Amino acid sequence: MSKFQLISFSFTIRNKSTTKMKHITLFLIFLISFLAISQTQDITTELYDTYETYKEESLNKRRIKHSEIAPLIAKARANPKFKVSKLGSSIEGRSLSLISLGTGDTSVFLWSQMHGDEPTATQAIFDILNFFDSTDFIKEKEAILENLTIHFLPMLNPDGAELFQRRNLLGVDINRDALRLQSPEGQTLKRVRDSLEADFGFNLHDQSTYYNAERTDKPATISYLAPAYNYEKEINEVRGNSMKIIVFMNNILQQYAPGQVGRYNDDFEPRAFGDNIQKWGTSTILIESGGYPNDIEKQEIRKLNYVSILSAIYTIAKENYKDIPITEYDKIPENDRKLFDLKLVGAQYELMGKTYTIDLGINQLEVDYKDHNHFWYSSRVIDQGDLSTYYGYETVDAYGHTIKAAKVYPTTVNSMSAAKDLNTLELLKKGFGYVRMENIPAASLNSPLPLHIIGKAYEVPELLLQPGANPTFFLEKNGVLEYAVINGFLMDLKQEKPTIPNAMIYR
Ligand SMILES: [Zn+2]
């Protein structure tokens, strides 16, 4: 919250009060909370600026496995600053651990990655542990550890993480298992919540990168929810406190990702953990890490998790969130899902002798390699037509451009290394998007060129743009091919060396 916001807010309240005494008391309360919050603000800036010192370098991409966090948990176990307890195991026998610190009366419980392909906050948790292990920020850490007991349960769904999938090995969404409790992971979460009777719970997830803040082109880099505990969506003190913490965190994020925060729909889901944990008396804060431009591995978002969660922990310790008005919560824009990776606006599309104006919404979809450590792209047209209510991470004004089908290069190449010797820019400029190859290596899943590779007998179908199609075509203006779109990636053909992560292989 900016100082100006706070001052104007304190004036509004003061104007509403009727007696002089009330004026003075309220003014004092706000002066105190103003000072306390601006103190927290300074810490936030420092946390942001010094982040690299605490970043856990061994974790640096989204596809992290239990085997990568196990040594970090072992390190914490050997460290007298932390208490590590083994809680149980996943279906495949991967251990679930709780890392605790602090001696305070207020208990804060954070769990991450109940969905296996949602790892951003798991990484931030290990950054936060490094922060607590350091010898810096002594005063702030004393305040935190005297007032709070903090418990981290990183990677609740390690079997899902192994396969980089949402569900656990039972094929169950753990976040719909809070009542039936069939999954050992869900049982563990429930048991820990009950034994801690935590005052605050941080339910840490990732969301689709295609979410945006409602009616803006800003990605919802972080979205929040203070889950409802009944269908009526009532607000008691427990839920009110989670709203206050969310308002606090939103104000922090606005400094680093302005406009990039969304508020999740708060419809009550009786089977979900967040909703039930709220109902069981723990103020629950759902955090969803979404998208951020040019941050494929979500490392900037991880940093924002680190800064905002640590600041929230500090404000809980200092109790200076209490005066934050919960009415601010509803002012956070709602989450929407209106983003594409690439949006083309107003292209001319010729079909059966007629020309139409269409927009195209294209997503660059990830396909995992077998080891689930890396991925490649198989892109799709998601929508086409009038997409004026949608946005793109990358948007191209294609008015005056005609969509042209990509052609097959007439010379067949023998091998992958021969293909790599091709002057791909020259080929693209001439409208070739496909190269035929005599012997496509059996192990190759995709093309390393900015051109699709096709087998000896493969026939490229006529261009027919439809949702679900692989976006491959050229944009021509005044007889010149200005852009190529191959596998959903846009290349400006005026560039010297246009590249894309990968194209497709069609055998
Ligand atoms: Zn999730």
Side-chain angles (χ1 to χ4, degrees):
M1 188 174 297
S2 80
K3 292 177 186 179
F4 289 114
Q5 272 173 300
L6 267 165
I7 291 166
S8 65
F9 173 66
S10 73
F11 277 125
T12 323
I13 300 287
R14 284 173 62 208
N15 290 341
K16 279 181 190 159
S17 55
T18 46
T19 69
K20 211 175 182 180
M21 265 316 280
K22 250 186 181 172
H23 273 226
I24 293 164
T25 323
L26 272 172
F27 180 72
L28 283 176
I29 288 172
F30 279 103
L31 192 66
I32 291 162
S33 61
F34 164 68
L35 288 174
I37 293 182
S38 48
Q39 241 181 31
T40 320
Q41 205 68 81
D42 296 341
I43 285 143
T44 298
T45 313
E46 246 184 284
L47 287 173
Y48 188 88
D49 293 342
T50 60
Y51 170 70
E52 296 301 325
T53 317
Y54 311 103
K55 181 177 180 180
E56 177 47 56
E57 293 289 347
S58 68
L59 309 173
N60 53 26
K61 60 178 177 27
R62 283 171 295 147
R63 286 161 178 76
I64 52 170
K65 312 284 180 232
H66 185 265
S67 58
E68 289 167 80
I69 67 160
L72 303 175
I73 292 172
K75 204 174 92 186
R77 182 174 281 117
N79 186 336
K81 286 180 184 159
F82 305 113
K83 179 174 170 270
V84 176
S85 346
K86 193 190 165 194
L87 302 168
S89 299
S90 67
I91 292 180
E92 270 190 315
R94 296 187 174 89
S95 61
L96 303 173
S97 303
L98 192 70
I99 304 155
S100 307
L101 68 165
T103 53
D105 290 337
T106 302
S107 114
V108 181
F109 176 32
L110 306 94
W111 61 97
S112 72
Q113 216 170 342
M114 118 185 356
H115 296 134
D117 55 354
E118 299 179 6
T120 305
T122 300
Q123 302 175 41
I125 285 178
F126 288 100
D127 302 335
I128 292 172
L129 292 176
N130 286 345
F131 167 84
F132 279 111
D133 189 31
S134 74
T135 50
D136 321 319
F137 292 92
I138 292 174
K139 248 177 45 204
E140 292 82 6
K141 285 196 289 203
E142 262 175 24
I144 292 172
L145 299 176
E146 270 170 22
N147 292 303
L148 308 182
T149 311
I150 316 171
H151 308 273
F152 298 95
L153 199 180
M155 197 184 275
L156 183 63
N157 179 5
D159 297 351
E162 201 66 19
L163 303 168
F164 201 62
Q165 68 177 31
R166 178 181 179 86
R167 292 165 184 257
N168 74 350
L169 208 67
L170 184 63
V172 157
D173 181 343
I174 296 169
N175 208 23
R176 297 292 177 267
D177 194 34
L179 300 181
R180 189 170 283 179
L181 292 173
Q182 284 301 292
S183 63
E185 300 89 356
Q187 289 163 11
T188 301
L189 179 58
K190 170 82 164 86
R191 205 177 57 242
V192 178
R193 201 308 307 177
D194 290 351
S195 71
L196 299 175
E197 295 240 325
D199 299 289
F200 288 90
F202 287 79
N203 185 11
L204 306 172
H205 292 251
D206 281 75
Q207 66 183 355
S208 163
T209 54
Y210 303 121
Y211 282 109
N212 62 310
E214 196 181 28
R215 287 195 292 278
T216 75
D217 62 354
K218 306 272 189 188
T221 300
I222 297 278
S223 291
Y224 291 112
L225 173 67
Y229 57 89
N230 59 16
Y231 284 109
E232 293 71 31
K233 306 184 187 183
E234 286 173 285
I235 302 170
N236 59 5
E237 198 191 336
V238 171
R239 188 171 181 221
N241 281 343
S242 38
M243 290 173 162
K244 290 176 182 185
I245 298 296
I246 286 170
V247 171
F248 174 83
M249 295 175 92
N250 174 48
N251 286 325
I252 287 172
L253 285 177
Q254 291 305 328
Q255 297 174 54
Y256 303 108
Q260 290 170 226
V261 177
R263 178 168 47 92
Y264 239 84
N265 178 300
D266 70 345
D267 285 348
F268 178 58
E269 167 51 72
R271 303 167 299 163
F273 264 102
D275 305 49
N276 281 289
I277 290 178
Q278 189 91 279
K279 187 170 160 182
W280 299 328
T282 294
S283 295
T284 305
I285 296 121
L286 172 76
I287 303 181
E288 299 269 0
S289 295
Y292 189 94
N294 304 314
D295 187 20
I296 300 291
E297 293 299 343
K298 295 195 172 190
Q299 297 300 297
E300 181 62 25
I301 311 180
R302 161 193 185 173
K303 178 178 176 179
L304 295 176
N305 267 262
Y306 166 88
V307 173
S308 58
I309 292 172
L310 255 183
S311 302
I313 287 174
Y314 187 59
T315 200
I316 292 171
K318 302 287 272 185
E319 298 196 341
N320 51 20
Y321 64 90
K322 289 190 171 174
D323 300 313
I324 294 173
I326 56 173
T327 46
E328 293 292 305
Y329 177 78
D330 284 330
K331 294 182 188 163
I332 301 172
E334 278 191 63
N335 249 14
D336 203 350
R337 194 181 173 134
K338 290 263 190 310
L339 269 176
F340 297 114
D341 285 316
L342 173 63
K343 184 187 166 191
L344 302 181
V345 185
Q348 301 297 299
Y349 177 45
E350 291 163 349
L351 182 67
M352 299 179 78
K354 279 193 174 173
T355 303
Y356 303 85
T357 300
I358 60 168
D359 306 334
L360 284 167
I362 290 166
N363 285 352
Q364 294 142 1
L365 304 179
E366 296 178 2
V367 181
D368 274 21
Y369 286 105
K370 214 174 162 191
D371 60 5
H372 299 285
N373 278 320
H374 306 92
F375 66 93
W376 52 284
Y377 290 101
S378 174
S379 302
R380 295 287 174 260
V381 173
I382 303 297
D383 202 354
Q384 60 194 63
D386 175 359
L387 301 181
S388 52
T389 57
Y390 285 78
Y391 310 94
Y393 279 95
E394 187 179 11
T395 302
V396 178
D397 179 353
Y399 282 102
H401 290 76
T402 303
I403 293 174
K404 292 284 174 188
K407 297 180 295 183
V408 180
Y409 183 53
T411 312
T412 301
V413 297
N414 191 43
S415 63
M416 205 55 99
S417 60
K420 283 176 183 167
D421 288 338
L422 292 170
N423 185 336
T424 50
L425 177 61
E426 285 313 307
L427 265 59
L428 288 167
K429 278 182 167 172
K430 289 176 185 155
F432 299 117
Y434 299 88
V435 174
R436 200 176 291 286
M437 189 178 289
E438 188 76 24
N439 301 300
I440 302 174
S444 294
L445 297 176
N446 56 71
S447 162
L449 311 175
L451 302 157
H452 299 305
I453 292 171
I454 56 175
K456 270 188 294 191
Y458 183 82
E459 280 201 39
V460 176
E462 224 172 284
L463 178 69
L464 181 67
L465 289 172
Q466 288 288 326
N470 185 283
T472 294
F473 50 82
F474 291 87
L475 292 174
E476 184 196 75
K477 191 176 188 179
N478 304 325
V480 178
L481 299 179
E482 289 198 344
Y483 296 99
V485 174
I486 304 286
N487 194 24
F489 291 92
L490 181 88
M491 288 177 276
D492 182 342
L493 298 180
K494 289 188 290 295
Q495 281 181 335
E496 266 178 45
K497 208 178 182 323
T499 55
I500 62 173
N502 70 271
M504 305 289 285
I505 288 179
Y506 299 106
R507 285 184 161 82

